[in-house]
Amino acid sequence: MTLRALRTPLTLAVLSLLREQPRHPYEMQALVRERQVGEVVKLRGGSLYDAIGRLVKAGLIEAVDTGRSGARPERTVYAITEDGIATVEALTRDYLRAPAEEYPVFVTALAHIFNLGVTEAVELLRERRQRIREKHDEVATQLAALPEDIPRVVLLEVEYAQALRKAELAWLDEVVQCIDKGDLTWLEIPSNRTPRRSTRS
């Protein structure tokens, strides 16, 4: 596996947690939830364990201890290596310095929104706004319930995500208002055009 294949947000999250101190996967999962890292890193099923396996194979982390607490199964503790430290620093620099070339599906849909009727488009934008508002409020409630001793620096990505939600809510309100007022011109798509038949057999 190439180092390029390991350059993911999940890799950065695991390496960052292990640079703080050696940890076992269960503790890492708990911290991901506590620090709201799930806002930017999606953990599904065994994705964390899969990532740990890849990082061990790449020499970026290593198992340093295996222990058991009471009747719980054995837990392997992992620590970051020198190569892992170099990688977490390089990834952090790369992710901070320049915007990534991302192609979100919402932006793609906006480029072709005129394919829908005005009424349906507005309805869908309002539905999106409602979902964003619900997510914003949910995260705000979670942040308010966090212990006060959690450093702000480990929650910056959540603050950023919340700021983006607030900005999108304001933008959606403005666009919907323009559509309602008739200030946003809609492209006319011919409705009587007969699609061409496929020439494939």
Side-chain angles (χ1 to χ4, degrees):
M1 177 176 295
T2 64
L3 183 58
R4 183 179 180 84
L6 293 170
R7 297 174 69 83
T8 67
L10 182 53
T11 289
L12 182 55
V14 171
L15 293 178
S16 184
L17 288 172
L18 293 182
R19 190 174 190 185
E20 293 177 22
Q21 67 181 58
R23 306 182 191 276
H24 51 71
Y26 181 82
E27 183 183 4
M28 284 188 266
Q29 284 182 323
L31 283 171
V32 164
R33 290 192 297 269
E34 180 179 296
R35 297 180 181 179
Q36 303 288 312
V37 178
E39 282 289 296
V40 291
V41 177
K42 302 303 179 186
L43 290 180
R44 297 183 178 88
S47 58
L48 176 62
Y49 291 90
D50 291 341
I52 289 171
R54 291 192 295 270
L55 294 174
V56 169
K57 189 174 182 179
L60 302 183
I61 66 175
E62 61 186 0
V64 293
D65 188 29
T66 301
R68 183 190 301 272
S69 177
R72 294 177 178 174
E74 286 189 346
R75 290 178 177 168
T76 301
V77 175
Y78 295 91
I80 195 168
T81 65
E82 289 297 322
D83 286 344
I85 291 174
T87 299
V88 73
E89 291 179 353
L91 277 177
T92 304
R93 291 189 189 101
D94 290 348
Y95 285 3
L96 281 176
R97 73 163 48 99
E101 292 296 330
E102 299 169 344
Y103 303 95
V105 294
F106 178 57
V107 175
T108 302
L110 287 176
H112 306 284
I113 194 172
F114 53 81
N115 284 287
L116 301 176
V118 175
T119 301
E120 182 181 7
V122 169
E123 186 177 308
L124 292 170
L125 290 176
R126 285 186 171 132
E127 181 180 335
R128 180 183 180 88
R129 186 197 184 285
Q130 177 62 26
R131 292 184 178 186
I132 293 173
R133 168 55 66 186
E134 289 172 356
K135 182 63 176 179
H136 174 276
D137 293 347
E138 175 189 344
V139 173
T141 299
Q142 293 171 349
L143 288 174
L146 290 177
E148 294 183 359
D149 60 346
I150 293 183
R152 182 187 176 195
V153 71
V154 302
L155 297 172
L156 289 179
E157 76 278 7
V158 186
E159 287 187 17
Y160 177 70
Q162 285 290 79
L164 291 182
R165 291 187 186 102
K166 289 180 182 177
E168 183 170 343
L169 288 170
W171 183 83
L172 285 168
D173 285 342
E174 190 271 335
V175 169
V176 168
Q177 187 177 42
C178 282
I179 295 175
D180 286 342
K181 288 181 177 180
D183 294 339
L184 188 61
T185 304
W186 219 251
L187 293 185
E188 293 293 334
I189 304 296
S191 59
N192 59 350
R193 180 175 297 167
T194 303
R196 295 182 60 185
R197 292 182 179 276
S198 173
T199 57
R200 292 181 296 180
S201 56

